Amino acid sequence: LRGAVVTASQNAIFSEAKLMLCRLHHDPDSRTTHLLAALLSGCFAVGCTHPIDVVKTRLMNAQGQGATYDSALDCFLGGFRAEGPF
């Protein structure tokens, strides 16, 4: 699941960022254009996958302590209710 989210978000944002930079008169094949587009897409991918990583870590840490969560969805919703979206 995480790999699919990373790939989908990174590819989509890289393409859009590159188009946006080209509209701002950057050379489409310059190193600067590729670097900026990659930075933007990487940051976006981290934002998309962070909740998945948090749920995975909480589920793995809860394994030795008994059944703290019923499912990954229960873990996600419990954290969202207790801590909010950020």
Side-chain angles (χ1 to χ4, degrees):
L1 176 66
R2 184 185 187 279
V5 172
V6 168
T7 302
S9 62
Q10 215 166 15
N11 287 343
I13 296 301
F14 181 84
S15 298
E16 288 300 315
K18 191 173 173 187
L19 286 173
M20 180 188 71
L21 290 168
C22 289
R23 277 186 250 136
L24 295 172
H25 308 293
H26 283 268
D27 179 22
D29 291 326
S30 74
R31 289 182 180 168
T32 305
T33 301
H34 286 277
L35 177 66
L36 291 173
L39 284 171
L40 287 170
S41 67
C43 290
F44 189 81
V46 167
C48 289
T49 58
H50 183 69
I52 297 169
D53 292 338
V54 169
V55 168
K56 178 185 167 195
T57 301
R58 288 183 181 180
L59 288 173
M60 290 174 67
N61 287 337
Q63 263 181 341
Q65 302 170 359
T68 309
Y69 303 108
D70 294 331
S71 65
L73 182 62
D74 178 47
C75 179
F76 176 78
L77 293 175
F80 188 80
R81 281 187 212 108
E83 300 166 20
F86 301 106

